mmCIF file of all heavy atoms in Angstrom:
data_model
loop_
_atom_site.group_PDB
_atom_site.id
_atom_site.type_symbol
_atom_site.label_atom_id
_atom_site.label_comp_id
_atom_site.label_asym_id
_atom_site.label_seq_id
_atom_site.Cartn_x
_atom_site.Cartn_y
_atom_site.Cartn_z
ATOM 1 N N CYS Z 60 14.278 3.261 -2.911
ATOM 2 C CA CYS Z 60 15.535 3.866 -2.490
ATOM 3 C C CYS Z 60 16.509 2.832 -1.906
ATOM 4 O O CYS Z 60 16.712 1.772 -2.476
ATOM 5 C CB CYS Z 60 15.269 4.997 -1.512
ATOM 6 S SG CYS Z 60 16.627 6.187 -1.413
ATOM 7 N N LEU Z 61 17.112 3.133 -0.742
ATOM 8 C CA LEU Z 61 18.145 2.276 -0.164
ATOM 9 C C LEU Z 61 17.604 0.901 0.232
ATOM 10 O O LEU Z 61 18.360 -0.076 0.293
ATOM 11 C CB LEU Z 61 18.763 2.963 1.056
ATOM 12 C CG LEU Z 61 19.954 2.278 1.742
ATOM 13 C CD1 LEU Z 61 21.116 2.095 0.773
ATOM 14 C CD2 LEU Z 61 20.392 3.070 2.964
ATOM 15 N N ILE Z 62 16.299 0.802 0.483
ATOM 16 C CA ILE Z 62 15.695 -0.469 0.888
ATOM 17 C C ILE Z 62 15.914 -1.530 -0.193
ATOM 18 O O ILE Z 62 16.159 -2.707 0.109
ATOM 19 C CB ILE Z 62 14.194 -0.300 1.171
ATOM 20 C CG1 ILE Z 62 13.972 0.729 2.279
ATOM 21 C CG2 ILE Z 62 13.559 -1.626 1.549
ATOM 22 C CD1 ILE Z 62 14.529 0.345 3.625
ATOM 23 N N ASP Z 63 15.829 -1.136 -1.467
ATOM 24 C CA ASP Z 63 16.067 -2.083 -2.563
ATOM 25 C C ASP Z 63 17.460 -2.700 -2.460
ATOM 26 O O ASP Z 63 17.637 -3.913 -2.610
ATOM 27 C CB ASP Z 63 15.932 -1.377 -3.919
ATOM 28 C CG ASP Z 63 14.506 -0.920 -4.202
ATOM 29 O OD1 ASP Z 63 13.585 -1.461 -3.590
ATOM 30 O OD2 ASP Z 63 14.340 -0.021 -5.042
ATOM 31 N N ALA Z 64 18.452 -1.863 -2.222
ATOM 32 C CA ALA Z 64 19.832 -2.329 -2.130
ATOM 33 C C ALA Z 64 20.035 -3.206 -0.898
ATOM 34 O O ALA Z 64 20.728 -4.234 -0.966
ATOM 35 C CB ALA Z 64 20.789 -1.141 -2.091
ATOM 36 N N ILE Z 65 19.436 -2.828 0.235
ATOM 37 C CA ILE Z 65 19.575 -3.619 1.461
ATOM 38 C C ILE Z 65 18.990 -5.013 1.267
ATOM 39 O O ILE Z 65 19.560 -6.021 1.711
ATOM 40 C CB ILE Z 65 18.875 -2.912 2.643
ATOM 41 C CG1 ILE Z 65 19.579 -1.594 2.970
ATOM 42 C CG2 ILE Z 65 18.832 -3.811 3.869
ATOM 43 C CD1 ILE Z 65 20.987 -1.740 3.483
ATOM 44 N N ALA Z 66 17.848 -5.100 0.590
ATOM 45 C CA ALA Z 66 17.226 -6.410 0.345
ATOM 46 C C ALA Z 66 18.142 -7.307 -0.478
ATOM 47 O O ALA Z 66 18.257 -8.513 -0.208
ATOM 48 C CB ALA Z 66 15.887 -6.232 -0.362
ATOM 49 N N VAL Z 67 18.800 -6.738 -1.480
ATOM 50 C CA VAL Z 67 19.744 -7.522 -2.289
ATOM 51 C C VAL Z 67 20.955 -7.913 -1.449
ATOM 52 O O VAL Z 67 21.431 -9.053 -1.502
ATOM 53 C CB VAL Z 67 20.176 -6.731 -3.538
ATOM 54 C CG1 VAL Z 67 21.333 -7.431 -4.252
ATOM 55 C CG2 VAL Z 67 18.994 -6.564 -4.490
ATOM 56 N N MET Z 68 21.467 -6.968 -0.643
ATOM 57 C CA MET Z 68 22.606 -7.269 0.221
ATOM 58 C C MET Z 68 22.304 -8.446 1.153
ATOM 59 O O MET Z 68 23.135 -9.339 1.335
ATOM 60 C CB MET Z 68 22.962 -6.040 1.052
ATOM 61 C CG MET Z 68 24.125 -6.256 2.011
ATOM 62 S SD MET Z 68 24.423 -4.848 3.118
ATOM 63 C CE MET Z 68 23.090 -5.079 4.298
ATOM 64 N N LEU Z 69 21.101 -8.472 1.718
ATOM 65 C CA LEU Z 69 20.732 -9.533 2.647
ATOM 66 C C LEU Z 69 20.481 -10.863 1.942
ATOM 67 O O LEU Z 69 20.423 -11.912 2.587
ATOM 68 C CB LEU Z 69 19.493 -9.126 3.446
ATOM 69 C CG LEU Z 69 19.664 -7.894 4.341
ATOM 70 C CD1 LEU Z 69 18.365 -7.569 5.075
ATOM 71 C CD2 LEU Z 69 20.794 -8.107 5.346
ATOM 72 N N PHE Z 80 27.207 -1.348 -4.398
ATOM 73 C CA PHE Z 80 26.061 -0.685 -5.009
ATOM 74 C C PHE Z 80 26.386 0.733 -5.446
ATOM 75 O O PHE Z 80 27.125 1.439 -4.762
ATOM 76 C CB PHE Z 80 24.891 -0.611 -4.009
ATOM 77 C CG PHE Z 80 24.519 -1.920 -3.394
ATOM 78 C CD1 PHE Z 80 25.125 -2.339 -2.217
ATOM 79 C CD2 PHE Z 80 23.567 -2.737 -3.969
ATOM 80 C CE1 PHE Z 80 24.792 -3.550 -1.633
ATOM 81 C CE2 PHE Z 80 23.214 -3.939 -3.396
ATOM 82 C CZ PHE Z 80 23.832 -4.352 -2.229
ATOM 83 N N LEU Z 102 28.441 1.051 -0.688
ATOM 84 C CA LEU Z 102 27.811 1.957 -1.636
ATOM 85 C C LEU Z 102 28.832 2.890 -2.277
ATOM 86 O O LEU Z 102 29.812 3.284 -1.633
ATOM 87 C CB LEU Z 102 26.727 2.794 -0.947
ATOM 88 C CG LEU Z 102 25.330 2.167 -0.878
ATOM 89 C CD1 LEU Z 102 25.341 0.929 0.003
ATOM 90 C CD2 LEU Z 102 24.303 3.160 -0.368
ATOM 91 N N MET Z 137 26.065 -3.756 -8.028
ATOM 92 C CA MET Z 137 24.650 -3.534 -8.366
ATOM 93 C C MET Z 137 24.443 -2.100 -8.822
ATOM 94 O O MET Z 137 25.005 -1.170 -8.247
ATOM 95 C CB MET Z 137 23.762 -3.817 -7.156
ATOM 96 C CG MET Z 137 22.279 -3.677 -7.463
ATOM 97 S SD MET Z 137 21.259 -4.165 -6.068
ATOM 98 C CE MET Z 137 19.633 -4.165 -6.858
ATOM 99 N N PHE Z 139 21.229 0.577 -10.530
ATOM 100 C CA PHE Z 139 19.826 0.771 -10.871
ATOM 101 C C PHE Z 139 19.769 1.597 -12.153
ATOM 102 O O PHE Z 139 19.926 2.826 -12.118
ATOM 103 C CB PHE Z 139 19.101 1.497 -9.738
ATOM 104 C CG PHE Z 139 19.110 0.740 -8.439
ATOM 105 C CD1 PHE Z 139 19.986 1.093 -7.419
ATOM 106 C CD2 PHE Z 139 18.258 -0.330 -8.239
ATOM 107 C CE1 PHE Z 139 20.004 0.402 -6.222
ATOM 108 C CE2 PHE Z 139 18.264 -1.034 -7.052
ATOM 109 C CZ PHE Z 139 19.144 -0.675 -6.034
#
Side-chain angles (χ1 to χ4, degrees):
C60 202
L61 185 59
I62 301 296
D63 293 339
I65 295 295
V67 170
M68 179 186 77
L69 297 179
F80 307 90
L102 273 66
M137 183 175 190
F139 299 102

